[in-house]
Short mmCIF file of all heavy atoms in Angstrom, two decimals:
data_model
loop_
_atom_site.label_atom_id
_atom_site.label_comp_id
_atom_site.label_asym_id
_atom_site.label_seq_id
_atom_site.Cartn_x
_atom_site.Cartn_y
_atom_site.Cartn_z
N GLY A 1 -9.59 -1.65 3.71
CA GLY A 1 -8.57 -0.58 3.46
C GLY A 1 -7.17 -1.18 3.27
O GLY A 1 -6.53 -0.77 2.39
N THR A 2 -6.79 -2.13 4.08
CA THR A 2 -5.51 -2.82 3.98
C THR A 2 -5.45 -3.57 2.56
O THR A 2 -4.33 -3.59 1.99
CB THR A 2 -5.34 -3.77 5.12
OG1 THR A 2 -5.48 -3.05 6.40
CG2 THR A 2 -3.99 -4.34 5.09
N MET A 3 -6.55 -4.18 2.15
CA MET A 3 -6.48 -4.95 0.95
C MET A 3 -6.18 -3.89 -0.27
O MET A 3 -5.43 -4.19 -1.14
CB MET A 3 -7.80 -5.67 0.62
CG MET A 3 -8.00 -6.84 1.64
SD MET A 3 -7.26 -8.34 1.20
CE MET A 3 -8.10 -8.85 -0.26
N VAL A 4 -6.84 -2.81 -0.15
CA VAL A 4 -6.64 -1.69 -1.18
C VAL A 4 -5.07 -1.29 -1.23
O VAL A 4 -4.55 -1.16 -2.28
CB VAL A 4 -7.59 -0.43 -0.87
CG1 VAL A 4 -7.19 0.63 -1.95
CG2 VAL A 4 -8.91 -0.87 -1.21
N ALA A 5 -4.59 -1.04 0.03
CA ALA A 5 -3.18 -0.65 0.17
C ALA A 5 -2.32 -1.74 -0.38
O ALA A 5 -1.32 -1.49 -1.11
CB ALA A 5 -2.88 -0.28 1.54
N LEU A 6 -2.54 -2.98 -0.09
CA LEU A 6 -1.79 -4.06 -0.57
C LEU A 6 -1.76 -4.16 -2.17
O LEU A 6 -0.74 -4.37 -2.77
CB LEU A 6 -2.25 -5.41 -0.03
CG LEU A 6 -1.94 -5.62 1.51
CD1 LEU A 6 -2.65 -6.82 1.99
CD2 LEU A 6 -0.38 -5.85 1.75
N MET A 7 -2.90 -4.08 -2.80
CA MET A 7 -3.02 -4.23 -4.13
C MET A 7 -2.31 -3.09 -4.87
O MET A 7 -1.81 -3.24 -5.99
CB MET A 7 -4.53 -4.35 -4.62
CG MET A 7 -5.19 -5.60 -4.10
SD MET A 7 -6.77 -5.77 -4.75
CE MET A 7 -7.75 -4.61 -3.75
N ILE A 8 -2.40 -1.81 -4.30
CA ILE A 8 -1.78 -0.73 -4.87
C ILE A 8 -0.21 -0.88 -4.77
O ILE A 8 0.54 -0.77 -5.74
CB ILE A 8 -2.19 0.59 -4.26
CG1 ILE A 8 -3.63 0.86 -4.60
CG2 ILE A 8 -1.31 1.73 -4.72
CD1 ILE A 8 -4.20 2.11 -3.81
N ARG A 9 0.22 -1.18 -3.50
CA ARG A 9 1.69 -1.32 -3.38
C ARG A 9 2.29 -2.47 -4.11
O ARG A 9 3.37 -2.41 -4.63
CB ARG A 9 1.87 -1.66 -1.81
CG ARG A 9 3.33 -1.74 -1.42
CD ARG A 9 4.08 -0.45 -1.48
NE ARG A 9 3.63 0.53 -0.50
CZ ARG A 9 4.07 0.66 0.79
NH1 ARG A 9 5.19 -0.21 1.10
NH2 ARG A 9 3.67 1.51 1.55
N ALA A 10 1.51 -3.65 -4.36
CA ALA A 10 2.05 -4.69 -5.07
C ALA A 10 2.06 -4.40 -6.55
O ALA A 10 2.64 -5.21 -7.37
CB ALA A 10 1.23 -5.96 -4.89
N GLY A 11 1.48 -3.29 -6.98
CA GLY A 11 1.40 -3.03 -8.42
C GLY A 11 0.25 -3.58 -9.19
O GLY A 11 0.17 -3.29 -10.37
N GLY A 12 -0.60 -4.13 -8.56
CA GLY A 12 -1.82 -4.81 -9.25
C GLY A 12 -2.70 -3.73 -9.83
O GLY A 12 -3.23 -3.82 -11.02
N SER A 13 -2.96 -2.58 -8.98
CA SER A 13 -3.75 -1.51 -9.44
C SER A 13 -3.23 -0.89 -10.77
O SER A 13 -3.92 -0.56 -11.73
CB SER A 13 -4.11 -0.55 -8.43
OG SER A 13 -4.81 -1.15 -7.35
N LYS A 14 -1.89 -0.66 -10.73
CA LYS A 14 -1.20 0.08 -11.76
C LYS A 14 -1.23 -0.86 -12.94
O LYS A 14 -1.44 -0.35 -14.16
CB LYS A 14 0.18 0.40 -11.39
CG LYS A 14 1.04 1.15 -12.42
CD LYS A 14 0.47 2.47 -12.67
CE LYS A 14 1.52 3.45 -13.33
NZ LYS A 14 1.76 2.88 -14.73
N ALA A 15 -1.00 -2.18 -12.83
CA ALA A 15 -0.93 -3.11 -13.91
C ALA A 15 -2.29 -3.15 -14.59
O ALA A 15 -2.38 -3.17 -15.70
CB ALA A 15 -0.45 -4.49 -13.58
N TYR A 16 -3.34 -3.22 -13.83
CA TYR A 16 -4.68 -3.27 -14.29
C TYR A 16 -5.03 -1.97 -15.06
O TYR A 16 -5.64 -2.08 -16.24
CB TYR A 16 -5.72 -3.59 -13.30
CG TYR A 16 -7.21 -3.65 -13.75
CD1 TYR A 16 -7.64 -5.02 -14.14
CD2 TYR A 16 -8.01 -2.67 -13.86
CE1 TYR A 16 -8.90 -5.18 -14.63
CE2 TYR A 16 -9.31 -2.84 -14.52
CZ TYR A 16 -9.67 -4.12 -14.85
OH TYR A 16 -10.92 -4.24 -15.20
N GLY A 17 -4.62 -0.84 -14.58
CA GLY A 17 -4.89 0.41 -15.22
C GLY A 17 -4.13 0.50 -16.53
O GLY A 17 -4.67 0.93 -17.51
N ASP A 18 -2.90 0.08 -16.49
CA ASP A 18 -2.17 0.05 -17.81
C ASP A 18 -2.79 -0.87 -18.83
O ASP A 18 -2.86 -0.51 -19.90
CB ASP A 18 -0.64 -0.44 -17.64
CG ASP A 18 0.10 0.59 -16.75
OD1 ASP A 18 -0.32 1.78 -16.69
OD2 ASP A 18 1.12 0.22 -16.10
N TRP A 19 -3.34 -2.03 -18.40
CA TRP A 19 -3.91 -3.05 -19.33
C TRP A 19 -5.23 -2.36 -19.86
O TRP A 19 -5.50 -2.40 -21.00
CB TRP A 19 -4.30 -4.27 -18.53
CG TRP A 19 -5.06 -5.18 -19.43
CD1 TRP A 19 -4.58 -6.18 -20.24
CD2 TRP A 19 -6.56 -5.24 -19.38
NE1 TRP A 19 -5.67 -6.88 -20.82
CE2 TRP A 19 -6.83 -6.39 -20.39
CE3 TRP A 19 -7.50 -4.58 -18.81
CZ2 TRP A 19 -8.20 -6.69 -20.67
CZ3 TRP A 19 -8.92 -4.87 -19.09
CH2 TRP A 19 -9.15 -5.96 -20.02
N ALA A 20 -5.97 -1.67 -18.97
CA ALA A 20 -7.18 -0.99 -19.42
C ALA A 20 -6.95 0.15 -20.33
O ALA A 20 -7.67 0.37 -21.36
CB ALA A 20 -7.96 -0.42 -18.17
N VAL A 21 -5.84 0.93 -20.17
CA VAL A 21 -5.44 1.92 -21.09
C VAL A 21 -5.18 1.49 -22.42
O VAL A 21 -5.70 2.05 -23.53
CB VAL A 21 -4.37 2.77 -20.47
CG1 VAL A 21 -3.87 3.75 -21.54
CG2 VAL A 21 -4.70 3.57 -19.30
N SER A 22 -4.55 0.34 -22.54
CA SER A 22 -4.15 -0.24 -23.80
C SER A 22 -5.34 -0.96 -24.50
O SER A 22 -5.27 -1.21 -25.76
CB SER A 22 -3.02 -1.14 -23.65
OG SER A 22 -3.30 -2.35 -22.80
N HIS A 23 -6.33 -1.37 -23.86
CA HIS A 23 -7.34 -2.21 -24.40
C HIS A 23 -8.77 -1.34 -24.55
O HIS A 23 -9.60 -1.73 -25.44
CB HIS A 23 -7.62 -3.51 -23.62
CG HIS A 23 -6.62 -4.47 -23.75
ND1 HIS A 23 -5.36 -4.35 -23.12
CD2 HIS A 23 -6.53 -5.69 -24.50
CE1 HIS A 23 -4.71 -5.41 -23.45
NE2 HIS A 23 -5.34 -6.18 -24.28
N ILE A 24 -8.89 -0.35 -23.83
CA ILE A 24 -10.16 0.51 -23.91
C ILE A 24 -9.85 1.72 -24.80
O ILE A 24 -9.11 2.60 -24.56
CB ILE A 24 -10.58 0.92 -22.52
CG1 ILE A 24 -10.86 -0.29 -21.60
CG2 ILE A 24 -11.76 1.79 -22.63
CD1 ILE A 24 -11.21 0.11 -20.22
N LYS A 25 -10.62 1.65 -25.95
CA LYS A 25 -10.25 2.65 -27.01
C LYS A 25 -11.33 3.80 -27.13
O LYS A 25 -11.06 4.77 -27.90
CB LYS A 25 -10.17 1.97 -28.42
CG LYS A 25 -9.22 0.82 -28.39
CD LYS A 25 -7.77 1.26 -28.19
CE LYS A 25 -6.80 0.09 -28.30
NZ LYS A 25 -5.34 0.52 -28.02
N THR A 26 -12.38 3.69 -26.49
CA THR A 26 -13.39 4.72 -26.59
C THR A 26 -13.86 5.27 -25.25
O THR A 26 -13.63 4.72 -24.20
CB THR A 26 -14.69 4.15 -27.27
OG1 THR A 26 -15.27 3.18 -26.44
CG2 THR A 26 -14.24 3.60 -28.66
N LYS A 27 -14.44 6.59 -25.29
CA LYS A 27 -14.96 7.18 -24.04
C LYS A 27 -16.12 6.26 -23.45
O LYS A 27 -16.13 6.03 -22.21
CB LYS A 27 -15.51 8.60 -24.43
CG LYS A 27 -16.04 9.28 -23.18
CD LYS A 27 -16.51 10.64 -23.54
CE LYS A 27 -17.27 11.26 -22.40
NZ LYS A 27 -17.73 12.68 -22.65
N SER A 28 -16.93 5.72 -24.29
CA SER A 28 -18.07 4.83 -23.92
C SER A 28 -17.41 3.69 -23.18
O SER A 28 -17.94 3.26 -22.21
CB SER A 28 -18.87 4.52 -24.99
OG SER A 28 -19.91 3.62 -24.66
N GLY A 29 -16.45 3.06 -23.75
CA GLY A 29 -15.85 1.89 -23.14
C GLY A 29 -15.24 2.19 -21.79
O GLY A 29 -15.30 1.32 -20.85
N ALA A 30 -14.65 3.40 -21.60
CA ALA A 30 -14.02 3.80 -20.33
C ALA A 30 -15.11 3.90 -19.31
O ALA A 30 -14.99 3.51 -18.10
CB ALA A 30 -13.36 5.07 -20.48
N LEU A 31 -16.28 4.49 -19.63
CA LEU A 31 -17.43 4.63 -18.68
C LEU A 31 -18.03 3.29 -18.34
O LEU A 31 -18.36 3.07 -17.14
CB LEU A 31 -18.49 5.52 -19.29
CG LEU A 31 -18.09 7.05 -19.50
CD1 LEU A 31 -19.20 7.77 -20.26
CD2 LEU A 31 -17.77 7.65 -18.17
N TRP A 32 -18.18 2.49 -19.33
CA TRP A 32 -18.78 1.11 -19.06
C TRP A 32 -17.76 0.27 -18.14
O TRP A 32 -18.19 -0.43 -17.28
CB TRP A 32 -18.95 0.37 -20.30
CG TRP A 32 -20.32 0.76 -20.88
CD1 TRP A 32 -20.44 1.29 -22.28
CD2 TRP A 32 -21.68 0.58 -20.57
NE1 TRP A 32 -21.83 1.43 -22.56
CE2 TRP A 32 -22.45 0.95 -21.45
CE3 TRP A 32 -22.07 0.00 -19.32
CZ2 TRP A 32 -23.87 1.02 -21.26
CZ3 TRP A 32 -23.53 -0.04 -19.28
CH2 TRP A 32 -24.32 0.50 -20.09
N SER A 33 -16.48 0.46 -18.42
CA SER A 33 -15.54 -0.27 -17.61
C SER A 33 -15.50 0.12 -16.12
O SER A 33 -15.43 -0.58 -15.24
CB SER A 33 -14.11 -0.14 -18.20
OG SER A 33 -14.08 -0.57 -19.49
N THR A 34 -15.73 1.50 -15.96
CA THR A 34 -15.65 2.01 -14.63
C THR A 34 -16.99 1.55 -13.99
O THR A 34 -16.92 1.01 -12.70
CB THR A 34 -15.79 3.50 -14.70
OG1 THR A 34 -14.72 4.12 -15.24
CG2 THR A 34 -15.83 4.10 -13.28
N PHE A 35 -18.12 1.50 -14.56
CA PHE A 35 -19.37 0.99 -14.12
C PHE A 35 -19.36 -0.51 -13.72
O PHE A 35 -19.75 -0.92 -12.60
CB PHE A 35 -20.51 1.20 -15.09
CG PHE A 35 -21.85 0.72 -14.60
CD1 PHE A 35 -22.56 1.31 -13.59
CD2 PHE A 35 -22.42 -0.26 -15.33
CE1 PHE A 35 -23.72 0.95 -13.14
CE2 PHE A 35 -23.75 -0.76 -14.94
CZ PHE A 35 -24.32 -0.15 -13.79
N ILE A 36 -18.71 -1.30 -14.54
CA ILE A 36 -18.74 -2.82 -14.36
C ILE A 36 -17.78 -3.03 -13.15
O ILE A 36 -18.05 -3.88 -12.33
CB ILE A 36 -18.30 -3.52 -15.69
CG1 ILE A 36 -19.30 -3.34 -16.66
CG2 ILE A 36 -17.94 -4.93 -15.39
CD1 ILE A 36 -18.97 -3.89 -18.07
N LEU A 37 -16.63 -2.39 -13.20
CA LEU A 37 -15.64 -2.60 -12.00
C LEU A 37 -16.29 -2.34 -10.74
O LEU A 37 -16.16 -3.02 -9.79
CB LEU A 37 -14.36 -1.89 -12.32
CG LEU A 37 -13.37 -2.11 -11.17
CD1 LEU A 37 -12.90 -3.48 -11.29
CD2 LEU A 37 -12.13 -1.09 -11.46
N ALA A 38 -17.06 -1.18 -10.70
CA ALA A 38 -17.62 -0.69 -9.40
C ALA A 38 -18.67 -1.74 -8.96
O ALA A 38 -18.96 -1.99 -7.82
CB ALA A 38 -18.37 0.63 -9.66
N ILE A 39 -19.44 -2.38 -9.98
CA ILE A 39 -20.33 -3.51 -9.60
C ILE A 39 -19.66 -4.72 -9.04
O ILE A 39 -20.11 -5.30 -8.08
CB ILE A 39 -21.24 -3.86 -10.76
CG1 ILE A 39 -22.08 -2.73 -11.14
CG2 ILE A 39 -22.12 -5.05 -10.52
CD1 ILE A 39 -22.98 -2.94 -12.41
#
């Protein structure tokens, strides 16, 4: 839980989200990215 809070506060989660928004162009890509990240 602390690791999650650290990554959010450091801006890592936001930066990764911004990168994903700019590189993932389709609905299918968004679903696959969610699935792969969860694995």
